[in-house]
Structures are given as C-alpha cells and as structure tokens.
Amino acid sequence: MNKILVTGGAGYIGSHTVVELMNSWYEVVIVDNFSNSNPGSIDGIERIIGRRPVLVEADCSDYSQMHELFKKHSDIAGVIHFAALKAVGESVEKPLEYYRNNILSIINLLSLLREFGGKHFVFSSSCTVYGQPDVLPVTEQSPLKPAMSPYGNTKKVGEDIIRDTVLASANISAIALRYFNPIGAHPSSEIGELPLGKPDNLVPFITQTAAGIRPKLQIFGNDYNSPDGTAIRDYFHVVDLAKAHVLALDRLFKGSNKSNFEVFNVGAGQGVTVLEIVKAFEKVSGKKLNYEIVGRRAGDIEKVWADTSLAEKELGWKVKSSLEDALLTAWNWEKKVRGI
Ligand code: NAD
Ligand code: WQD
C-alpha cells in the first residue's frame, strides 16, 4: 500500500514532489487537468528518474471524474493535494471559480479517500493564512488573519474543512504544509516553473526579464519598513519543499504524527528583500537586471518569514539549498526553456 495520488502533479511544486516521491518508495498516480500546466512536465519527470508516473487527466472538482479515478485505483493509500488555482489577483475578480475549484476539490478528495479507505492526506497551504503577522518570525501558533483574497481564503477554509473531517473520521490523518515562497527549479533543468502569460511572482518575472521576454522588472514599493525599503519574504528552493512532502507522508505512514491534523511552516526561516533578490540574481547569472521602482502592489504585506523549528524537530526537515543555488537553478531553467 504505497500508492499516492498527487493532484496537480504536472504543476510547479507537484512535479518536483513527484520526482522525490518516486525516488523514495512511493508509487505515484498524477491527476491534473492542465489548467495551469502541460504534459511536458511529465516528460521531464521521466527524463530525470527514468520512469513515467501514471497520469490521469481529470478535474478534481468534478466528483464523478474523481470517483472513476478512485474506482480504478482503489488502493490509493494517500493523497498529496496540490491542485488549485493560485493567482491572487484573478481570485478577486473570479471568486466563485476559485471557491468552486479549490474547495470542491478538497471535499471530493476527502470524501473519496474516506469511501475507498485511504488514510493519509497532505495539503498545500500557504503563509498567506498569517496575513501581516504582528510578531516575526511566524510560528504555527501565530494568529491567522482574515484572508486578503478569495485565493487566500481557500487555504484557510481548506485547512478548516480538513481539520473538521479528520476529527470526525478517525481513519484519516492529515498534514497541512504552510509554504512560504518556493523558488528555483530542478538542478537537471528538466522541470521548473512555467507561468502562463505575465508572471505574478517575483522570481519568474526576474528570469523572464533577464531572458529578454519582459523589458523590465517593476519593484512594487521601496517605502516599506525594511533595510532597503523593499518588502521582505522567505524564499527557498522548491526541491527542499518537495522533500518536505515526502517527510510529511512518511510521518503519516509511520503513524508518528502527534495528532490527526498537524500543521508545519515550510520556509528558509530567513527574510530577504526584493532588492536583495535582484542583487543575488545578478551575481549568480552575471546579468544586469533592468528594473524600476513603482508603487506598492495592492494587497501586498510588508514582511513575513517563518519559524521552521517545528518542521525541523518533528519532520527532520530544514532547507539545504542556498538562495543563490535556488536562483541559479531558476535561471538555468529559464535559459533552457527559451533556448538561450
Ligand atoms: P501550479 O499552478 O504550477 O500547479 C497546480 C496544478 O494543479 C497545475 O498543474 C494545474 O493544472 C492543476 N490544477 C488546478 N486545478 C485543478 C483541478 N481542479 N483538477 C486537476 N488539476 C488542477 O501551482 P504550484 O505553484 O505548483 O502550487 C501548488 C499548490 O501549492 C497550490 O495549491 C498552491 O495554492 C500552493 N501554494 C503555492 C505557492 C507558490 O508560491 N507557488 C505558495 C503557497 C502555496
Ligand atoms: C514577492 C515580493 C512583491 C513581482 C504570493 C501570494 C501568496 C503565495 C506566494 C501561495 C513581493 C514583489 C513581485 C514583481 C515585485 N502563494 N514583486 N515585482 O507576494 O509573497 O505571495 O505568492 O499561496 O499567497 O500572494 O510572492 O512572488 O508575488 O512577490 O516587486 O513583478 O516581490 O511585491 O514583495 P508573495 P510574489
């Protein structure tokens, strides 16, 4: 019983996690509807590990499609649930699409896990649930703040649905990982982040600018209370994040979890400004980046970084890669995709 359903496994974090799972002892079934990815990432996974994961093209928010999948793979022991829409700004314009996609998917997966006897559930949550924390770094005990967007709210409500469900069905145990800012790509450059259209996130915007696809990076605000005035986040390597999922799943399989619903912060534990990221990128890529300072972006917080001591103590997880490594892999991936 080592079969794991990885929803959104063709996406950015999902594809990196599938590599780590298949390099461990797990058998993987990916479900993805390719709303924000394409089957090229499955080819990349196969080139990295020499084996191809099973792929089912289906929509997690569609109960009948997911029921079919569980009927066919009735030995699914656990689910890692990445599949979600994640564009913060778009979620403000299309709240119902976000709630339908992200919330129905969680409900369907938990229902089917229960119905078919699967036991383990790992959920992609986000540091967005903390809003702007009053005290830094944030621990898992820090108060949650009202979400700034429908997207952020799907993470808060998602955690609530999972907590209530596992309390009511003792057979299922869950771990929510609250990611901070994953960046970078697999060192092989076979998989990485491939945003459709104009990137919302900082690092893909930087690499696309360096690749000449965007004329310049706009830095949103230099009047924050930080050493250089730009906002602070906790950036860390996506391969380290992928490994955290394997450790979380191992914990559930071993039964070493301390309660049926646990939450862990996953980040580097260090705050870095936007300008520091730009400087570090310039150093590792050897390219001068064209940028300008513009006004703050609506809905942005000033600063956040994680206290990751709980993940270290309980999961035995800690970031291994440096910021520079992560930025270099992001750049190598961008160059490969663009044929530079
Ligand atoms: P991504 O868009 O690259 O991956 C998500 C994948 O899910 C995509 O392949 C998409 O096609 C698929 N998908 C979406 N809705 C689906 C559905 N209804 N049925 C089947 N497949 C569906 O995003 P990512 O960056 O890899 O994020 C993965 C998860 O981590 C998401 O839940 C996201 O909210 C969460 N998260 C991401 C970040 C980040 O900075 N990237 C931070 C915190 C949390
Ligand atoms: C990082 C910093 C920007 C782009 C978002 C979501 C959050 C989470 C991760 C999933 C900020 C600045 C960015 C640009 C810039 N996702 N920036 N110019 O804001 O931490 O979080 O993604 O849950 O929910 O809100 O990440 O990469 O968008 O921005 O100056 O073109 O870079 O203002 O300070 P963020 P980000």
Side-chain angles (χ1 to χ4, degrees):
M1 286 291 275
N2 64 342
K3 192 183 274 185
I4 303 301
L5 179 66
V6 181
T7 77
Y12 173 46
I13 306 169
S15 58
H16 289 84
T17 302
V18 168
V19 167
E20 299 305 320
L21 287 167
M22 291 178 73
N23 274 335
S24 178
W25 67 289
Y26 296 103
E27 191 187 331
V28 170
V29 175
I30 291 177
V31 59
D32 206 298
N33 65 357
F34 299 117
S35 56
N36 196 38
S37 56
N38 66 64
S41 57
I42 313 295
D43 301 334
I45 293 170
E46 188 177 9
R47 284 194 294 271
I48 295 170
I49 49 181
R51 284 173 294 137
R52 198 172 177 83
V54 174
L55 168 69
V56 179
E57 189 171 345
D59 183 340
C60 298
S61 67
D62 182 317
Y63 182 82
S64 60
Q65 289 181 21
M66 294 309 288
H67 194 266
E68 270 309 297
L69 188 159
F70 272 80
K71 242 176 37 199
K72 194 160 169 221
H73 297 279
S74 58
D75 54 344
I76 285 171
V79 174
I80 304 188
H81 180 40
F82 294 104
L85 296 174
K86 62 162 187 177
V88 176
E90 185 185 60
S91 79
V92 177
E93 269 132 50
K94 300 180 179 170
L96 288 176
E97 279 84 342
Y98 272 67
Y99 285 117
R100 181 181 297 117
N101 191 74
N102 294 4
I103 300 297
L104 283 184
S105 296
I106 296 170
I107 294 173
N108 288 342
L109 289 161
L110 288 170
S111 308
L112 289 162
L113 200 59
R114 194 178 51 186
E115 184 180 334
F116 285 85
K119 289 189 167 44
H120 315 298
F121 194 81
V122 177
F123 178 57
S124 298
S125 189
S126 167
C127 66
T128 194
V129 299
Y130 298 116
Q132 176 60 65
D134 300 321
V135 180
L136 287 163
V138 265
T139 72
E140 292 78 358
Q141 265 67 55
S142 298
L144 305 189
K145 297 270 176 78
M148 307 278 279
S149 67
Y151 164 74
N153 207 28
T154 66
K155 295 300 174 191
K156 163 72 174 66
V157 173
E159 285 193 15
D160 291 341
I161 292 171
I162 297 163
R163 183 185 298 102
D164 291 344
T165 303
V166 303
L167 281 177
S169 8
N171 280 340
I172 304 179
S173 295
I175 290 180
L177 299 179
R178 291 181 180 155
Y179 316 156
F180 283 67
N181 292 61
I183 59 166
H186 196 269
S188 64
S189 299
E190 294 290 359
I191 51 174
E193 192 169 10
L194 203 54
L196 303 172
K198 196 169 158 195
D200 286 325
N201 297 113
L202 179 63
V203 171
F205 209 105
I206 288 178
T207 55
Q208 288 197 10
T209 305
I213 296 158
R214 311 275 154 206
K216 67 167 78 146
L217 168 75
Q218 295 193 318
I219 295 184
F220 301 133
N222 68 347
D223 56 351
Y224 287 110
N225 180 19
S226 77
D228 58 32
T230 61
I232 297 180
R233 299 287 185 275
D234 184 338
Y235 302 92
F236 69 113
H237 201 304
V238 68
V239 172
D240 281 327
L241 175 56
K243 289 180 175 158
H245 290 81
V246 179
L247 292 169
L249 207 53
D250 287 350
R251 180 176 175 88
L252 295 175
F253 269 83
K254 279 190 260 167
S256 46
N257 47 312
K258 295 203 166 132
S259 74
N260 280 354
F261 182 65
E262 293 181 315
V263 174
F264 297 101
N265 285 343
V266 188
Q270 251 196 330
V272 176
T273 70
V274 177
L275 275 173
E276 284 167 347
I277 291 283
V278 169
K279 299 234 167 68
F281 177 80
E282 288 181 334
K283 195 167 151 216
V284 298
S285 67
K287 286 194 81 97
K288 196 98 196 81
L289 199 75
N290 193 15
Y291 70 83
E292 63 176 340
I293 308 281
V294 298
R296 292 181 178 194
R297 181 171 68 178
D300 264 356
I301 58 161
E302 180 169 88
K303 52 177 85 160
V304 68
W305 66 93
D307 180 326
T308 57
S309 44
L310 191 66
E312 207 174 327
K313 177 162 169 267
E314 296 294 334
L315 295 177
W317 180 88
K318 198 175 168 19
V319 287
K320 292 212 174 80
S321 298
S322 66
L323 183 65
E324 286 74 16
D325 276 351
L327 288 167
L328 183 60
T329 57
W331 177 229
N332 287 340
W333 162 248
E334 185 75 57
K335 283 195 293 188
K336 170 153 186 229
V337 170
R338 309 298 165 191
I340 300 172

